[in-house]
Amino acid sequence: MNNPARRRALVRGGSLAATLWVGALLAGRLVAGEREDRVIEIEAKRFEYTPNEIRVKRGGAVTLAFRSIDFVHGFSLPDLGVRADLVPGRVTEVRIKAKEAGKFLFLCDNFCGDRHEEMNGMLIVEA
Amino acid sequence: MDRRDFLSLAAVGGGAVFVASLPGCGSLAGTDKSAGTDFYFVQLSDIHWGYKGPANPEAMVTLGKAVATVNALDIQPDFIVFTGDLTHTTDDPGERRRRMNEFKSIVADLKVSNIRFMPGEHDASLDRGMAFKEIFGATHYRFDHKGVHFLALDNVSDPGTKLGDEQLAWMGEELDKLDKAAPLVVLAHRPLFDLVPKWDWATRDGARALALLQPFQKVTVFYGHIHQEHHHMTGHIAHHSAKSLIFPLPAPGSQDKPTPVLWDPAMPYRGLGFREVDANPAAASYVINEFPVLRT
Ligand SMILES: [Cu+2]
């Protein structure tokens, strides 16, 4: 993928404990007028994400916290130029800023087995 | 009768597509006496041997019927290339090999013995091409045929479905040996350009391969993966995807998700097929003829 308009995503990996720490730090740094990111936990396992539909308000930011159960699945949201490898045994966080309203398909882009093609979900950005 | 005249008379599987015509004589690859002679090859793709599901209730016989249709062509091709997903994937290494060996024994009935096999992610991603290499050989390679250079790339053995640094280095070295004006055909399973990335119709580092190909004046890519005929240009490089022999997929980006097109009992094998590619090396031109599974 070579998207020149690629936007940067904040992609972090670490243990669940580390993720909670990061969450606490983020909360501690909040200043007036700044909204805290919503964190949505998503489980990735062959061949689905749970949940597989994410709703966010336009202009809002959301942190997706992935736990992969059984494979180094991928998370790719090409319309926003975001991707990450989801390594089992740790939490991978992907921060998304939803600038435009619409429906954006995301998918596993690491081939993971016979129903790999069905492993996808939808980010719905509401106006 | 000239091969191209023959094709224009014999094409029944759909219209011929004249895909490239560059004026003048290019410098042809190789020094053998046949260099520059017209020839044709057949591309078959995305067979998914071992698939069981409603999208193709005839999965057990589709490949055999296609083999019979190829064998019935009046003039046999110089060679046949399978551009990946020969088998449907499985977690069981023994079952994977069983499917590959069954596939191999069915296509052994082809009259043409010069067959080039390439992997798709269903064949190679889960074991990084190990079973494929045992049964079919290398996953990427170069060969020359009658003045045309062919480069078969592997964008599937890496589970991230990319070519990878090592293969890109090899590709660069191979390309360095070639005349930039000679006709070059690239074969791959997945599109090398971003066709529909949200449908996984892309190669993560495909842009690096296209950058290596950029200095070559006459490049044509034939690929599979998207289970339908599709034609696209990236700059001067032409990309042509082939039909599948298992189930068709929807037109690029035409719906939310790339779910298989439903099987129609009234029109079995609809949207499936294979293609002939009629090469004119001197002009670096290729005429594509699409054929259905069954020719009636
Ligand atoms: Cu997956």
Side-chain angles (χ1 to χ4, degrees):
Chain A
M1 227 191 45
N2 183 30
N3 180 0
R6 166 176 230 134
R7 270 160 276 181
R8 236 169 239 299
L10 179 61
V11 178
R12 293 184 298 250
S15 69
L16 185 58
T19 308
L20 294 172
W21 262 107
V22 171
L25 286 171
L26 279 175
R29 277 201 277 107
L30 276 181
V31 292
E34 190 178 337
R35 265 187 298 171
E36 185 182 358
D37 282 7
R38 196 152 58 99
V39 177
I40 297 176
E41 289 182 8
I42 299 176
E43 182 185 88
K45 70 168 201 285
R46 305 202 314 167
F47 300 94
E48 59 191 357
Y49 300 99
T50 312
N52 63 2
E53 193 179 286
I54 303 160
R55 284 179 183 273
V56 57
K57 288 261 182 281
R58 183 162 59 110
V62 64
T63 296
L64 309 179
F66 289 97
R67 276 160 47 94
S68 174
I69 303 302
D70 52 8
F71 194 86
V72 186
H73 294 286
F75 168 75
S76 175
L77 217 176
D79 289 333
L80 272 66
V82 178
R83 82 159 305 280
D85 289 316
L86 314 179
V87 180
R90 60 197 233 192
V91 172
T92 304
E93 293 192 355
V94 178
R95 191 165 181 265
I96 286 170
K97 274 211 72 129
K99 290 182 182 164
E100 287 165 42
K103 282 167 72 181
F104 305 99
L105 190 70
F106 60 84
L107 72 151
C108 171
D109 63 347
N110 289 339
F111 185 85
C112 58
D114 68 349
R115 287 170 46 224
H116 160 74
E117 291 86 353
E118 298 168 26
M119 187 162 172
N120 52 35
M122 199 69 83
L123 170 74
I124 299 168
V125 182
E126 294 163 325
Chain B
M1 181 163 55
D2 176 87
R3 167 79 199 153
R4 269 162 292 170
D5 295 338
F6 168 76
L7 272 177
S8 61
L9 292 171
V12 294
V17 183
F18 190 65
V19 297
S21 176
L22 293 168
C25 280
S27 34
L28 295 163
T31 49
D32 63 297
K33 278 201 235 89
S34 64
T37 322
D38 286 8
F39 67 93
Y40 93 98
F41 65 94
V42 162
Q43 179 189 8
L44 299 101
S45 202
D46 297 87
I47 295 87
H48 289 259
W49 184 254
Y51 167 85
K52 286 185 185 69
N56 187 340
E58 303 283 325
M60 290 294 285
V61 297
T62 308
L63 176 59
K65 289 182 189 298
V67 165
T69 304
V70 173
N71 280 341
L73 295 170
D74 290 339
I75 299 172
Q76 286 294 294
D78 277 18
F79 64 89
I80 293 170
V81 60
F82 287 91
T83 46
D85 283 355
L86 316 183
T87 61
H88 198 70
T89 207
T90 163
D91 291 341
D92 176 350
E95 173 65 11
R96 181 184 313 288
R97 285 164 177 79
R98 198 179 64 79
R99 290 180 188 185
M100 287 183 174
N101 282 315
E102 281 176 2
F103 176 94
K104 203 173 179 183
S105 76
I106 295 167
V107 304
D109 286 342
L110 285 163
K111 286 182 189 167
V112 172
S113 57
N114 186 357
I115 301 179
R116 307 281 174 174
F117 296 103
M118 295 172 61
E121 58 282 284
H122 275 262
D123 305 302
S125 283
L126 292 184
D127 69 355
R128 292 187 176 261
M130 200 200 300
F132 183 93
K133 284 180 199 164
E134 280 171 31
I135 293 164
F136 297 106
T139 62
H140 65 270
Y141 46 88
R142 196 193 114 200
F143 61 98
D144 296 327
H145 192 81
K146 294 183 177 171
V148 180
H149 299 301
F150 287 83
L151 211 52
L153 300 181
D154 169 8
N155 48 8
V156 298
S157 290
D158 184 307
T161 51
K162 57 190 177 193
L163 296 149
D165 292 340
E166 207 175 305
Q167 189 181 179
L168 284 162
W170 166 84
M171 186 182 167
E173 284 163 23
E174 290 301 312
L175 291 175
D176 278 347
K177 298 173 191 166
L178 309 181
D179 182 342
K180 292 188 171 46
L184 175 61
V185 168
V186 176
L187 305 166
H189 176 66
R190 301 167 67 90
L192 292 173
F193 65 99
D194 280 355
L195 177 53
V196 187
K198 67 181 177 185
W199 284 8
D200 212 16
W201 291 3
T203 297
R204 214 175 285 168
D205 54 4
R208 291 172 66 192
L210 293 180
L212 291 173
L213 295 169
Q214 195 61 29
F216 290 80
Q217 295 155 25
K218 297 161 185 169
V219 189
T220 303
V221 184
F222 294 97
Y223 69 102
H225 186 61
I226 71 164
H227 295 208
Q228 64 195 289
E229 188 190 354
H230 187 263
H231 309 280
H232 181 80
M233 300 294 293
T234 57
H236 68 288
I237 301 174
H239 304 259
H240 309 286
S241 66
K243 287 176 179 164
S244 158
L245 289 173
I246 192 69
F247 49 75
L249 288 169
S254 59
Q255 55 188 57
D256 274 354
K257 295 177 181 183
T259 43
V261 176
L262 293 177
W263 176 267
D264 180 355
M267 298 179 73
Y269 310 109
R270 182 180 57 172
L272 307 184
F274 63 91
R275 68 168 38 141
E276 293 183 351
V277 180
D278 185 35
N280 176 352
S285 73
Y286 308 90
V287 175
I288 298 174
N289 271 282
E290 300 288 343
F291 285 83
V293 174
L294 299 173
R295 259 178 109 180
T296 47

